[in-house]
Amino acid sequence: MLVHLQGPWTPLIGRLALNQIPYDNPVIVGAFIFSVAAAAVFAGGVTYTGRWEYLWRNWLTTVDHKKIGIMYILVGMVMLFRGFIDAAMIRTQQVMAVGPQSAGHLGALHGYMPPYHFDQVYSAHGAIMLLFAVTPILVGLMNIIVPLQIGARDMAYPYLNAVGLWLTTVGAALVMLSLFVGDFSHAGWVGLTPLTELPYSPGVGVDYWIWAIQISSVGTTLGAINLIATIVKMRAPGMIWSRLPVFTWTAMATNIIGLTAFPVLAATLFLLTLDRYLGTHFFTAGMGGNIMLYTDLFWVWGHPEVYFLVLPAFGILSEIIPTFSEKPLFGYTAMVFASLIIAGASWMVWLHHFFTMGAGPLVNAYFSIATMLVGIPTGVKVFNWAFTMYRARMRFDTPMLWAVGALFLLLIGGLTGMMLAVPAIDFQVHNSVFVIAHFHSMVLLIAFAIMGAISYWFPKVFGFKLDERLGKRVFWYWVVASIMVFVPMYTLGFMGMTRRLDYISHPSWLPLIVLEEIGIGLYWVALYYQVKQIYVSVRDRRKYRAGPDAWWTTRSLEWMTHSPVPFYNFAVTPVVHARDEWAWRKEQGLTSLRPDRYQDIHMPKNTPVPLILGALSFALGFGLVWRIWWLSALSITAIVIVLIVRSFDSNTDYVIPAAEVERMERQGSGASGTTDTGRYPADHTAGKRRFRAARPQNR
Amino acid sequence: MTPKVLAIRRAPATSARSLGANRKLRHGQIFRPAGLALLCFALLTGCSTHSLSLFHPKGPIAATELHMMIIDAVIMLGIIIPTALLVTWFLWRYRASTSRGSYDPNWSHSTTIEVVVWSVPLMVVAVLGYYSYKGVYEVNPYHPTVIARKADGAPIEVDVIATDWQWLFIYPKQHIATIDELVIPAHTRVQFHLTSAAVTNSFFIPELVGQIYVMPGMPTEQAMMVSDPGTYRGFSAALSGPGFSWMQFQTRAVTERKFARWVAHLQNSPRHLTFPAFDQLARPTINVHQTPQYYSHVQSGLFDHVIEEVRMGKVFTTPMAMTAHM
Amino acid sequence: MGLPKIKIADLDAETLWNDGHRTIDVAASDTTVLWDSSHHEHDAISTRTFGFWLYMLSDAMILAALFTAYAVLRHNYAGAPTAAQIVHPGYAFRETLLVFSSVLAFGLTMSALKQGSRAGVINGIVVSFLIGAAFLGMEFHEFSGLISQGITPERSGFLSVYYAIVLVHGLHMVFGLLWMAVMVVQIMRQGFTDNVVYRLLNLKIFWQFQAVIWVCVFTVVYL
Ligand code: HEA
Ligand code: HEA
Ligand code: CUA
Ligand SMILES: [Cu+2]
């Protein structure tokens, strides 16, 4: 029943062969040397400082939701960097390949990449950015913040949480591996059939794409289960639904999408896998297959997926804007319902990605109007943020800058989205760079929100702030770079420039394309200052130290414990009395963090099992990509055995006695029993002096 | 740089009206200033107006689509710009570093505002939805009402087959076929039937007609009419593999007489197109310079034959050599 | 340490769903309780069961996608045998009976669990296991027959989806049997600890869910 393959296959190493390693391509060899060097520096550093045990004990085997969140974010950041390199490669190819006369290098007809290689770059860029950069970062943020915001000790299932992390990491690792061993999919991040069927994608690229996404999406689904259960089951006393912070609400909405949409993707990829491995006919053009079935199923997931990403970003804005406006969020109830409506409606609009497929007018009209309806709750959100700013007292610290930037991006992306939603317009701009510009406005909104969230919650997690001056510089470089890259793209869309072009036949487009390339240069500058900001802030971390309430005007529960947050989160679970509990306590003058008495704390124990499962899944993915059947069978058996063995381990928790908690609270991170609300630490006053006079005296 | 004057003379609303194809297009006049503003904005970032192909429709369908775009953009800008201004104003006025704003630390609810922010977008969507609904019928690829109204005389029929990675145009009535060149008479309804021998593509001639997918194993349709003779760029707008960027063709819209002469000329072409000949030409090929080819005596039923074969499982496999380490 | 052994009698659906968050509403003027010193633990079993319900929902979405595929491809015979030629409702009906008896047996297992009877539970599981295995045997027989006649999934869209949908259900059944086997060992070694009890509860949900899916398969595919 196995399909006939082009090229050799041996039982021992499957399709793998030495010539699958592109050692003759200088770009890839360079990337390989860079990666190996980075890994060597890291490993050397750990060895030199003798930190392997620390790494193992505190990170690799941890089940602490904050550390898992941090690792999610780190994975996401590395992949964000990789995605950016891809973006730079795309733009460089396009700027070099304009006009029939343009030169070719490294064996390419134009530019420096032949089409098949170029196609892999943007396919990897799209898949990485959406699934292995932004998704892990957002999941990581939710992991860190949601339990804190609802006053929980940990996630509902700490062990499962670690499994989710490692599965996501395996997906990312497979994508990275595809760069050096074999190739990646060349069929766009959407992988439409029949292009991804075996006859038209005979190599292993599409298989890498399938298994990387498949494995990591299992992780995402597990994460969704975990977050929903956490929100439903682990809230502190008094944290009733109508008091839930809006970020937690959006996490809820997002994970409802995740829980229901990702399985559809899993099923779709599974059927495509059967086509490619067993020669079935689900999505082939002939033999009773149906290529549109794939398109439908993919977008049934794909559209909710983009809202899966944007909702937490909305949640982040809903946290940052009130804090820096020194006011409660305007229209809490409307915000909550808008999130849930967006999540629900995201299921009913998928066909707008292929209006041009030739469905009947009524079908197109329905999906057009349904799509536009999503603009209404989104608009409500925009207006509510705006009215949060009304009669506010706004400070423009770095997080607020990112939030405001995101708000404007949403307006631009929304405007163009509403144009795409009209079939008669979409017929002209579908698959053009106008679409690229539309969704980069939207995904940059998410990126902005992420950058804002990181600078906002960084002091909570690490106990010191990131340098503000450099942070603002990064922001402005991002703004200018994004304008330079994506505004010309709208114009090029009107000029009829298609997306995914390896070679650009119109010499007259060159000036705009050059402009975009300059934008990429500015992103590099931004990246430089970003790295510098992190370096400077870590170096001078004493100077940047922050108390529990790092921004002085915060409102929700996570600011009510020490910074950095102790591994048990709250020494004693707080009782919640108001929607913005921390703001409420500050108003009442109840800012002491010291409870009347301490109690025993139950904590889950560290375990290496999730890491082992991850390693085995990696072997499984690798075996399946290269069709090394023995390796696949072996690793899947091992996975089952590990799962069973683990289920016999009933000794998974431990208790910290109350006295010990008290001791840690007194001398550990929380040296100060009370917070320093209202009293600016001396070294923070400099930048704030101008408006300090206008503040009311907090108790 | 083209002088701005030229840009204004060729402004979209004007050219749309000059077609006179559709009474509805007069709406364009209302939106004309805004359309110009949009164009100017594009000009600020662009260079040559000639390249803004979407703003130079040369047929009723493309014109209607442009018209739709202007309506939608103007309505949306009518709400987006005020919103942006509102936000900007708040940011300015209520910044902490001035004492001008009247700070109200607890104000977070207003039923009036809630009602307004839900209902205004709803009304806007209702208007846009109406236009969208109308537009869907006007440019419906199977039966575009903007052309149907005008169509007199028999249409020219063209069967389009996308291969990896060329375009084959068959004129079934004339028994001729071309590769990567489409020649049609202006002012005549052109009726396309489209399918693909390999993977999905999207058939697109920006100045004349919007896109329609070209899919293996099934036919789609498109109709169009050209109002100005000339040469227009057509291409595939959907990724179809390594040769995708080169999958372009010239569309030459000529007068009836020239078209008839061209057909007669081609009918003498020495190369014939039979089913086996098709199998030869449909093998994966990147036609780097889009060099046209011409065929006569096209075996009748070729279009249906290709669909049937694909349905029976025929594929034009991409050889590994075209992918490995390219 | 050890988590408190739970009382089996409490395990009715009510308590599972409404472990309830105590809503403490204290006006600021009253003596305000700021920290929760009542030392309550979140009910581990109900949290676990809730998570499993969520998992079942995601599994249902996978099957929904497969059924969609079935609806689209069901008449795409491409010259290969049609549904009418390969599907035997009578045979499938007997399979249905097996699935239901297995679920019934597992239901009896759960009442034995309420009584805290180890032997009852183990016997119940063994019976459901055997019936489930018989079902899989019938399925194996059916498909090996098809394959030996050369009616393989790669011959048509319909056959592809037919195999996929029935065998995905079958795979779930295999997984359930494996789970049962593990549970028998765990009960023998650990007794009714929290962990064992929540796993049995989840297994019950899982097993019943497979019956529901089978009913869908039976009505959509076989009838
Ligand atoms: C979340 C999604 C996301 C994000 C954030 C981006 C970000 C960017 N994208 Fe991408 N893009 C996609 C999703 C995304 N993209 C998708 C889905 C496609 C379609 C693919 C397809 O066709 O199939 C696409 C396609 C795409 C194209 C192809 C156009 C074409 O088809 O012709 C281009 C070309 O310019 C492009 C450019 C960029 C650029 C310049 C950025 C910039 O904004 C990037 C800015 C990022 C940085 C500057 C990195 C900063 C790094 C850090 C902060 C990390 C620091 C960490 C350490 C130091 C450890 N994108
Ligand atoms: C996070 C990501 C994100 C978000 C939030 C959105 C939001 C929206 N998107 Fe976008 N979209 C993508 C990511 C996203 N999109 C991606 C990745 C693709 C391409 C995939 C690919 O092909 O590779 C895409 C493609 C895409 C298409 C298909 C284009 C094509 O391929 O031809 C369409 C068509 O309808 C569309 C529409 C919309 C609409 C109407 C919204 C709306 O939700 C926007 C709503 C927002 C507003 C409207 C602004 C704020 C509102 C107001 C100020 C109030 C006033 C508003 C009204 C009166 C309505 N998008
Ligand atoms: Cu054919 Cu869609
Ligand atoms: Cu969408």
Side-chain angles (χ1 to χ4, degrees):
Chain A
M1 284 212 290
L2 290 180
V3 287
H4 174 74
L5 295 168
Q6 289 188 50
W9 178 88
T10 56
L12 185 63
I13 53 169
R15 307 185 81 184
L16 196 58
L18 201 59
N19 70 0
Q20 294 290 354
I21 297 168
Y23 44 77
D24 50 352
N25 184 322
V27 181
I28 293 179
V29 171
F32 182 72
I33 292 173
F34 174 79
S35 312
V36 170
V41 167
F42 178 75
V46 175
T47 313
Y48 182 70
T49 53
R51 293 264 176 92
W52 281 111
E53 200 196 331
Y54 164 82
L55 195 66
W56 175 260
R57 189 117 45 82
N58 281 288
W59 294 94
L60 298 181
T61 61
T62 188
V63 290
D64 178 345
H65 71 97
K66 299 171 289 299
K67 289 187 174 162
I68 289 177
I70 292 170
M71 286 189 281
Y72 260 120
I73 293 174
L74 278 179
V75 171
M77 282 290 167
V78 170
M79 296 311 279
L80 189 63
F81 179 69
R82 159 83 204 268
F84 170 59
I85 300 282
D86 287 337
M89 286 175 74
I90 298 170
R91 295 262 41 90
T92 308
Q93 167 74 13
Q94 289 200 337
V95 81
M96 287 168 72
V98 182
Q101 308 309 329
S102 61
H105 309 275
L106 300 175
L109 196 59
H110 300 276
Y112 67 101
M113 281 188 281
Y116 193 73
H117 187 181
F118 176 74
D119 294 354
Q120 291 174 42
V121 174
Y122 62 70
S123 306
H125 168 79
I128 286 177
M129 283 299 204
L130 289 168
L131 291 160
F132 303 110
V134 169
T135 302
I137 295 178
L138 290 173
V139 172
L141 279 170
M142 292 190 278
N143 239 303
I144 297 175
I145 301 306
V146 165
L148 289 172
Q149 279 196 334
I150 61 174
R153 279 252 179 281
D154 205 318
M155 299 279 275
Y157 320 113
Y159 159 74
L160 202 64
N161 202 15
V163 175
L165 166 71
W166 293 114
L167 290 182
T168 307
T169 311
V170 166
L174 279 175
V175 177
M176 293 306 277
L177 186 71
S178 75
L179 190 60
F180 308 127
V181 185
D183 49 12
F184 193 69
S185 171
H186 69 124
W189 78 281
V190 297
L192 292 186
T193 54
L195 188 56
T196 37
E197 291 286 348
L198 202 55
Y200 302 107
S201 301
V204 294
V206 172
D207 302 325
Y208 262 120
W209 171 80
I210 288 178
W211 292 110
I213 295 180
Q214 191 70 289
I215 292 174
S216 73
S217 79
V218 173
T220 309
T221 313
L222 294 181
I225 292 177
N226 211 339
L227 274 156
I228 295 177
T230 306
I231 297 171
V232 172
K233 289 287 185 183
M234 310 289 279
R235 281 167 289 135
M239 180 58 85
I240 53 179
W241 291 107
S242 61
R243 290 178 187 160
L244 215 55
V246 173
F247 179 71
T248 301
W249 264 118
T250 55
M252 183 77 179
T254 265
N255 284 297
I256 291 174
I257 297 180
L259 179 71
T260 44
F262 274 86
V264 176
L265 174 70
T268 311
L269 290 179
F270 171 67
L271 298 184
L272 181 61
T273 311
L274 294 180
D275 275 4
R276 287 183 59 86
Y277 283 69
L278 301 180
T280 53
H281 294 283
F282 291 101
F283 307 132
T284 54
M287 303 291 284
N290 189 322
I291 59 174
M292 289 133 93
L293 178 62
Y294 177 89
T295 315
D296 274 294
L297 284 176
F298 182 88
W299 285 115
V300 164
W301 163 78
H303 184 82
E305 154 69 11
V306 300
Y307 287 88
F308 173 84
L309 299 177
V310 89
L311 281 170
F314 289 167
I316 291 166
L317 302 194
S318 303
E319 295 291 329
I320 293 179
I321 292 175
T323 291
F324 293 97
S325 300
E326 287 189 51
K327 269 178 80 221
L329 184 66
F330 180 85
Y332 171 91
T333 319
M335 281 308 222
V336 170
F337 278 100
S339 305
L340 295 174
I341 292 173
I342 292 174
S346 72
W347 282 92
M348 287 173 259
V349 301
W350 76 91
L351 193 132
H352 68 213
H353 291 277
F354 45 100
F355 281 139
T356 50
M357 198 192 245
L362 270 180
V363 175
N364 277 356
Y366 161 78
F367 280 99
S368 164
I369 291 168
T371 301
M372 294 197 277
L373 286 172
V374 182
I376 299 169
T378 316
V380 168
K381 285 189 166 254
V382 170
F383 293 123
N384 283 1
W385 291 320
F387 284 107
T388 305
M389 299 172 183
Y390 176 66
R391 309 191 75 179
R393 197 160 54 190
M394 264 178 281
R395 282 174 290 142
F396 295 100
D397 297 82
T398 320
M400 185 63 169
L401 286 185
W402 289 110
V404 171
L407 195 56
F408 281 97
L409 281 167
L410 176 59
L411 290 178
I412 301 170
L415 164 70
T416 51
M418 295 298 281
M419 292 169 73
L420 292 169
V422 176
I425 303 174
D426 188 59
F427 289 173
Q428 282 281 346
V429 286
H430 176 61
N431 274 349
S432 72
V433 291
F434 185 84
V435 174
I436 303 277
H438 153 68
F439 73 73
H440 279 86
S441 301
M442 289 304 199
V443 296
L444 278 172
L445 171 177
I446 303 172
F448 273 48
I450 285 174
M451 300 294 275
I454 288 178
S455 51
Y456 182 57
W457 278 305
F458 192 91
K460 180 85 283 188
V461 176
F462 293 104
F464 59 95
K465 286 191 190 180
L466 290 170
D467 186 86
E468 281 283 312
R469 213 169 49 88
L470 285 168
K472 287 181 180 164
R473 194 173 297 174
V474 173
F475 170 78
W476 288 113
Y477 272 105
W478 267 73
V479 168
V480 179
S482 307
I483 291 174
M484 299 254 298
V485 175
F486 294 109
V487 172
M489 232 180 242
Y490 282 119
T491 317
L492 284 168
F494 289 133
M495 295 175 167
M497 177 167 163
T498 308
R499 65 195 283 195
R500 299 169 172 163
L501 283 181
D502 168 63
Y503 149 68
I504 292 157
S505 47
H506 283 51
S508 61
W509 294 346
L510 187 61
L512 289 176
I513 294 177
V514 169
L515 211 60
E516 297 183 356
E517 186 70 11
I518 298 172
I520 294 288
L522 293 181
Y523 274 126
W524 278 111
V525 179
L527 194 58
Y528 165 73
Y529 283 118
Q530 176 72 71
V531 173
K532 184 169 171 191
Q533 183 206 30
I534 296 174
Y535 172 74
V536 168
S537 314
V538 173
R539 189 190 59 194
D540 301 342
R541 56 189 174 281
R542 285 182 184 284
K543 185 171 128 202
Y544 296 100
R545 254 196 87 83
D549 190 354
W551 304 99
W552 311 290
T553 49
T554 56
R555 315 187 64 83
S556 44
L557 223 52
E558 76 267 29
W559 303 100
M560 225 170 86
T561 182
H562 312 286
S563 311
V565 184
F567 64 97
Y568 45 75
N569 292 359
F570 299 90
V572 176
T573 304
V575 173
V576 178
H577 310 79
R579 186 169 286 158
D580 290 330
E581 174 71 10
W582 179 231
W584 180 84
R585 287 199 185 192
K586 284 192 279 190
E587 233 162 74
Q588 310 291 326
L590 304 168
T591 52
S592 166
L593 294 190
R594 194 166 288 155
D596 349 320
R597 71 192 163 86
Y598 292 94
Q599 290 168 1
D600 297 357
I601 296 179
H602 284 244
M603 294 299 292
K605 274 188 184 162
N606 283 7
T607 160
V609 175
L611 185 64
I612 296 171
L613 286 176
L616 290 171
S617 311
F618 185 77
L620 175 66
F622 187 78
L624 286 167
V625 166
W626 292 99
R627 305 183 195 224
I628 310 173
W629 305 127
W630 63 265
L631 180 62
S632 320
L634 203 67
S635 36
I636 204 150
T637 318
I639 288 174
V640 172
I641 291 174
V642 170
L643 285 174
I644 292 179
V645 169
R646 154 84 190 179
S647 77
F648 279 87
D649 183 1
S650 52
N651 183 19
T652 52
D653 302 83
Y654 69 106
V655 173
I656 316 166
E660 174 70 10
V661 177
E662 184 162 3
R663 195 185 60 77
M664 283 191 288
E665 282 283 302
R666 281 193 198 290
Q667 54 152 248
S669 50
S672 58
T674 54
T675 65
D676 39 22
T677 330
R679 275 186 296 116
Y680 295 118
D683 33 325
H684 276 290
T685 46
K688 306 274 182 277
R689 206 168 292 128
R690 266 169 54 223
F691 55 89
R692 198 174 150 207
R695 295 157 140 309
Q697 227 32 65
N698 272 333
R699 283 139 295 237
Chain B
M1 246 338 225
T2 326
K4 280 234 168 82
V5 191
L6 188 64
I8 290 165
R9 195 165 52 74
R10 302 169 128 260
T14 321
S15 51
R17 192 179 39 163
S18 69
L19 280 168
N22 182 346
R23 246 170 292 126
K24 297 262 162 47
L25 283 181
R26 295 241 181 86
H27 279 304
Q29 286 173 320
I30 306 169
F31 295 109
R32 203 163 128 193
L36 289 181
L38 205 69
L39 195 67
C40 290
F41 169 74
L43 271 172
L44 283 178
T45 47
C47 207
S48 152
T49 54
H50 290 294
S51 333
L52 285 165
S53 49
L54 266 53
F55 291 131
H56 301 292
K58 294 288 159 36
I61 295 203
T64 311
E65 285 164 350
L66 171 65
H67 177 61
M68 272 291 161
M69 183 172 320
I70 292 172
I71 292 178
D72 187 297
V74 168
I75 294 179
M76 278 309 293
L77 283 172
I79 188 162
I80 294 289
I81 290 179
T83 311
L85 291 178
L86 185 81
V87 173
T88 315
W89 184 59
F90 284 174
L91 288 173
W92 178 253
R93 163 121 208 200
Y94 298 108
R95 66 195 197 282
S97 46
T98 62
S99 46
R100 263 191 299 151
S102 44
Y103 178 49
D104 186 348
N106 291 314
W107 186 79
S108 65
H109 182 77
S110 151
T111 312
T112 325
I113 292 180
E114 295 279 356
V115 170
V116 172
V117 298
W118 282 96
S119 55
V120 170
L122 185 66
M123 278 163 355
V124 174
V125 168
V127 175
L128 288 176
Y130 163 73
Y131 278 111
S132 177
Y133 178 83
K134 208 162 64 92
V136 157
Y137 284 92
E138 284 175 351
V139 300
N140 173 14
Y142 296 96
H143 184 69
T145 53
V146 280
I147 293 190
R149 220 173 298 141
K150 268 211 65 164
D152 33 22
I156 292 286
E157 285 192 30
V158 182
D159 292 345
V160 182
I161 302 178
T163 69
D164 270 353
W165 291 274
Q166 303 184 83
W167 291 100
L168 176 66
F169 300 103
I170 304 171
Y171 299 73
K173 298 244 173 67
Q174 291 80 3
H175 302 288
I176 55 172
T178 63
I179 279 182
D180 285 353
E181 187 182 65
L182 172 64
V183 180
I184 40 161
H187 310 293
T188 309
R189 180 184 162 114
V190 185
Q191 180 65 48
F192 294 107
H193 296 265
L194 312 99
T195 192
S196 168
V199 305
T200 302
N201 281 283
S202 189
F203 179 78
F204 189 21
I205 313 172
E207 284 138 303
L208 304 181
V209 68
Q211 297 172 44
I212 183 78
Y213 277 4
V214 181
M215 295 172 289
M218 59 193 119
T220 45
E221 289 179 22
Q222 183 65 286
M224 72 173 195
M225 194 160 60
V226 190
S227 49
D228 298 13
T231 304
Y232 307 102
R233 193 174 65 105
F235 51 92
S236 167
L239 172 71
S240 53
F244 159 67
S245 303
W246 288 270
M247 213 170 151
Q248 311 189 2
F249 58 89
Q250 294 290 335
T251 307
R252 288 201 288 122
V254 296
T255 58
E256 295 263 5
R257 252 184 342 128
K258 272 199 188 147
F259 180 71
R261 241 187 295 143
W262 179 80
V263 169
H265 178 72
L266 242 64
Q267 276 164 341
N268 295 325
S269 164
R271 298 170 67 188
H272 299 182
L273 189 58
T274 56
F275 294 174
F278 176 81
D279 287 352
Q280 285 298 313
L281 82 85
R283 285 181 314 181
T285 312
I286 302 179
N287 189 350
V288 173
H289 302 292
Q290 290 96 46
T291 323
Q293 318 242 10
Y294 307 99
Y295 300 92
S296 62
H297 295 89
V298 177
Q299 191 164 356
S300 58
L302 180 59
F303 184 81
D304 294 332
H305 170 76
V306 169
I307 292 182
E308 193 49 37
E309 291 256 290
V310 169
R311 287 221 176 127
M312 298 299 284
K314 177 156 196 155
V315 286
F316 291 91
T317 307
T318 310
M320 199 75 157
M322 290 192 94
T323 68
H325 309 304
M326 257 181 76
Chain C
M1 56 132 314
L3 295 167
K5 290 257 171 21
I6 52 126
K7 281 197 260 78
I8 304 295
D10 295 344
L11 278 178
D12 54 292
E14 279 296 310
T15 36
L16 287 187
W17 278 102
N18 307 331
D19 79 317
H21 276 274
R22 293 159 309 137
T23 309
I24 301 185
D25 259 291
V26 200
S29 53
D30 295 349
T31 40
T32 313
V33 181
L34 289 181
W35 307 98
D36 179 25
S37 47
S38 63
H39 194 97
H40 80 115
E41 287 289 314
H42 291 274
D43 179 353
I45 293 189
S46 98
T47 306
R48 301 267 165 173
T49 326
F50 180 72
F52 198 75
W53 273 106
L54 294 177
Y55 159 72
M56 293 302 346
L57 178 61
S58 74
D59 208 19
M61 292 304 298
I62 292 189
L63 286 149
L66 290 181
F67 276 106
T68 309
Y70 185 83
V72 172
L73 301 176
R74 59 185 304 173
H75 296 302
N76 296 4
Y77 299 127
T82 63
Q85 285 169 293
I86 62 165
V87 158
H88 308 292
Y91 191 79
F93 182 67
R94 273 175 280 151
E95 291 179 308
T96 311
L97 292 183
L98 285 181
V99 173
F100 273 91
S101 348
S102 182
V103 167
L104 187 70
F106 206 86
L108 297 177
T109 314
M110 295 319 279
S111 38
L113 177 65
K114 277 202 180 144
Q115 272 126 41
S117 150
R118 252 196 224 201
V121 171
I122 292 181
N123 289 341
I125 296 181
V126 169
V127 172
S128 336
F129 182 98
L130 291 177
I131 305 177
F135 168 86
L136 282 171
M138 285 187 77
E139 207 156 67
F140 181 80
H141 176 75
E142 181 186 350
F143 280 91
S144 54
L146 283 181
I147 289 176
S148 67
Q149 292 168 52
I151 305 177
T152 49
E154 67 267 29
R155 285 186 54 193
S156 74
F158 160 71
L159 282 172
S160 301
V161 76
Y162 173 73
Y163 270 76
I165 216 160
V166 179
L167 291 183
V168 163
H169 175 263
L171 213 62
H172 277 84
M173 296 291 283
V174 172
F175 182 70
L177 293 190
L178 192 66
W179 190 348
M180 287 183 191
V182 171
M183 286 323 295
V184 170
V185 181
Q186 281 191 353
I187 295 168
M188 293 201 296
R189 289 184 47 165
Q190 304 178 347
F192 297 129
T193 59
D194 259 17
N195 275 342
V196 170
V197 170
Y198 91 74
R199 284 180 192 139
L200 284 174
L201 286 170
N202 289 352
L203 181 51
K204 181 189 77 175
I205 304 170
F206 183 79
W207 208 234
Q208 287 173 344
F209 181 72
Q210 296 323 315
V212 174
I213 296 302
W214 178 259
V215 171
C216 299
V217 172
F218 182 63
T219 45
V220 173
V221 178
Y222 287 93
L223 287 186

